[in-house]
Amino acid sequence: MKVKKLNELDVSGKRVFIRADLNVPQDDAGNITEDTRIRASIPSIQYCLDQGAAVMVTSHLGRPTEGQLGADDSLTPVAVRLGQLINRPVRLINDWVDGGFEVKAGEVVLLENCRGNIGEKKNNEALARKMAALCDIYVNDAFGTAHRAEATTEGIARFAPVACAGMLMGAEIDALSKATENPARPLVAIVGGAKVSSKLTILRTLADKVDQLIVGGGIANTFLLASGKRIGESLAEPELVKEAQAIMDMMKARGAEVPLPVDVVVADEVSALARANRIPADEVGAHDRILDVGPKTAAKLADIIAHAGTIVWNGPVGVFEHAQFAGGTKMMASAIAHSEAFSIAGGGDTLAAIAKFHIAEDIGYISTGGGAFLEFLEGKTLPAIAALEERFDN
């Protein structure tokens, strides 16, 4: 996968347009409650500033109606926080598509919420051409939106004089390529979550590639059903039992495996006060709910991870938000942290587990993209990355 990269370009004196992902959470008063995405955007911005470029940055925030930006949709709080982090003022520019504003060399400005522009989400060509005319170099640093073909993610990349990947985007592409194109073996994938249906495509894709496919949560319960086990009142999708069986058959035919739980942690409800019981997977009662894997299973999964060459992690194996159902995910997280394998992790619940168990520094790469991360692993073409690939030689 070949794309131009920002850190390989001379941007001195150039007008640089950066599409970042600054879609940060805010409280009811509009205060930013978590600024990881803003911090992640800084290396590309700082690189351009250090070289004396005139820097324009834009992002989406929330889900505004195109052409009708309200106060809650404004990037004003983001401009303030970005200014604090880079220790210089950051002006916010409204109505920027047609130009008419000035950016000096060594200055950075924030262009108001790009999803307020009519035609952004439908990737309007006229809009994309107008934005491309604002810059000498277009930089896509928003991997989290790479699976969407929008004017600031795909269209502008086709028309800007130069189009490249930013520091964050480049790192995402390198890490995901390392995990999927020629991975060190054994390749172990961990896919947790509530529903098989939401991750059916990725499960099928991985079943054709990985050496071990660890499933967790409601997904694992559906696989247990497919293997003939009783799961009581556990979350599952009985209508997808045949799909789960087909995935296990695919793996078996390749000499690979879907290691299913041999023991589980059950309760009669999902709550912080629920009483947890550890039982063999063969002894699940009619009213039991499986909420975590048991210690024998966790030890088995940890052993698989310990011998892996590459680990791809998306989703916990239990309801780790409650301490009595966190054991399986905690042991798995510890195993990944101590493994010598290259590990890449992505998805909201996965990132929450990494934060809870304090292992961020021990993960090879933590992806910032949720949907984009999954679609890349599924082997889908991500429009924003495809546009950068097309511009590699020109």
Side-chain angles (χ1 to χ4, degrees), residues 5 8 66 72 101 120 184 190 242 262 268 272 285 312 333 335 348 355 387:
K5 293 184 178 177
E8 298 168 350
E66 288 187 2
D72 292 344
F101 60 91
E120 166 66 15
I190 303 157
K242 287 185 179 179
V262 294
D268 56 8
V312 178

Side-chain angles (χ1 to χ4, degrees), residues 187-255:
L187 171 56
V188 177
I190 303 157
V191 182
K195 296 182 177 181
V196 171
S197 55
S198 65
K199 295 184 178 177
L200 187 57
T201 308
I202 189 173
L203 288 167
R204 284 180 182 150
T205 301
L206 291 173
D208 196 41
K209 296 179 179 179
V210 304
D211 301 297
Q212 300 271 359
L213 177 58
I214 296 171
V215 290
I219 293 174
N221 296 338
T222 302
F223 276 75
L224 283 170
L225 265 184
S227 69
K229 295 285 194 294
R230 292 192 300 269
I231 63 167
E233 295 180 356
S234 305
L235 177 66
E237 292 174 289
E239 69 277 12
L240 291 177
V241 160
K242 287 185 179 179
E243 295 284 0
Q245 186 60 60
I247 288 167
M248 288 191 285
D249 290 343
M250 282 175 64
M251 294 284 288
K252 190 174 181 181
R254 293 176 44 245

Side-chain angles (χ1 to χ4, degrees), residues 266-312:
V266 300
D268 56 8
E269 64 176 359
V270 183
S271 77
L273 300 176
R275 180 180 175 183
N277 296 305
R278 299 173 180 173
I279 59 173
D282 292 328
E283 296 180 10
V284 177
H287 300 294
D288 284 335
R289 295 187 185 189
I290 301 172
L291 301 177
D292 192 15
V293 297
K296 290 181 180 178
T297 301
K300 179 182 176 183
L301 299 183
D303 185 62
I304 290 170
I305 289 165
H307 291 90
T310 305
I311 302 162
V312 178

Side-chain angles (χ1 to χ4, degrees), residues 25 49 66 103 125 135 139 141 159 224 237 312 360 388:
L49 292 175
E66 288 187 2
V103 189
E125 182 174 322
C135 66
V139 180
D141 212 26
F159 305 119
L224 283 170
E237 292 174 289
V312 178
L388 295 180

Side-chain angles (χ1 to χ4, degrees), residues 4 7 10 15 28-29 44 88 96 104 111 129 137 155 174 255 296 318 351 364 372:
K4 285 191 180 79
N7 59 351
D10 178 6
R15 295 171 300 152
D28 292 340
S44 289
R88 65 174 73 198
W96 50 269
K104 298 174 183 175
L111 308 179
R129 285 183 180 276
I137 298 172
D174 289 347
K296 290 181 180 178
L351 269 57

Side-chain angles (χ1 to χ4, degrees), residues 76-372:
T76 299
V78 176
V80 173
R81 181 62 60 88
L82 178 60
Q84 292 169 343
L85 292 171
I86 63 174
N87 198 30
R88 65 174 73 198
V90 177
R91 286 188 292 136
L92 182 68
I93 309 294
N94 293 294
D95 303 319
W96 50 269
V97 171
D98 293 312
F101 60 91
E102 195 173 331
V103 189
K104 298 174 183 175
E107 181 188 13
V108 57
V109 299
L110 193 59
L111 308 179
E112 186 59 282
N113 196 332
C114 60
R115 287 205 183 146
N117 298 321
I118 296 173
E120 166 66 15
K121 293 197 75 172
K122 291 188 176 180
N123 200 14
N124 179 269
E125 182 174 322
L127 174 62
R129 285 183 180 276
K130 281 185 177 183
M131 294 190 294
L134 297 174
C135 66
D136 301 307
I137 298 172
Y138 164 72
V139 180
N140 192 330
D141 212 26
F143 177 75
T145 65
H147 57 313
R148 300 191 181 105
E150 298 180 350
T152 57
T153 64
E154 198 272 348
I156 186 175
R158 289 184 280 125
F159 305 119
V162 175
C164 69
M167 308 292 198
L168 183 62
M169 175 71 88
E172 292 273 2
I173 292 172
D174 289 347
L176 281 160
S177 297
K178 183 176 179 180
T180 58
E181 290 179 3
N182 190 24
R185 299 279 179 172
L187 171 56
V188 177
I190 303 157
V191 182
K195 296 182 177 181
V196 171
S197 55
S198 65
K199 295 184 178 177
L200 187 57
T201 308
I202 189 173
L203 288 167
R204 284 180 182 150
T205 301
L206 291 173
D208 196 41
K209 296 179 179 179
V210 304
D211 301 297
Q212 300 271 359
L213 177 58
I214 296 171
V215 290
I219 293 174
N221 296 338
T222 302
F223 276 75
L224 283 170
L225 265 184
S227 69
K229 295 285 194 294
R230 292 192 300 269
I231 63 167
E233 295 180 356
S234 305
L235 177 66
E237 292 174 289
E239 69 277 12
L240 291 177
V241 160
K242 287 185 179 179
E243 295 284 0
Q245 186 60 60
I247 288 167
M248 288 191 285
D249 290 343
M250 282 175 64
M251 294 284 288
K252 190 174 181 181
R254 293 176 44 245
E257 186 187 2
V258 181
L260 295 178
V262 294
D263 59 341
V264 292
V265 180
V266 300
D268 56 8
E269 64 176 359
V270 183
S271 77
L273 300 176
R275 180 180 175 183
N277 296 305
R278 299 173 180 173
I279 59 173
D282 292 328
E283 296 180 10
V284 177
H287 300 294
D288 284 335
R289 295 187 185 189
I290 301 172
L291 301 177
D292 192 15
V293 297
K296 290 181 180 178
T297 301
K300 179 182 176 183
L301 299 183
D303 185 62
I304 290 170
I305 289 165
H307 291 90
T310 305
I311 302 162
V312 178
W313 181 18
N314 177 254
V317 294
V319 186
F320 72 95
E321 294 86 352
H322 301 310
Q324 67 271 48
F325 309 121
T329 302
K330 184 176 182 179
M331 183 176 284
M332 189 177 70
S334 178
I336 295 170
H338 288 91
S339 171
E340 294 182 4
F342 172 69
S343 56
I344 181 167
D349 287 341
T350 311
L351 269 57
I354 288 170
K356 179 168 184 171
F357 301 124
H358 309 291
I359 60 165
E361 292 183 2
D362 300 309
I363 303 294
Y365 191 81
I366 298 174
S367 175
T368 58

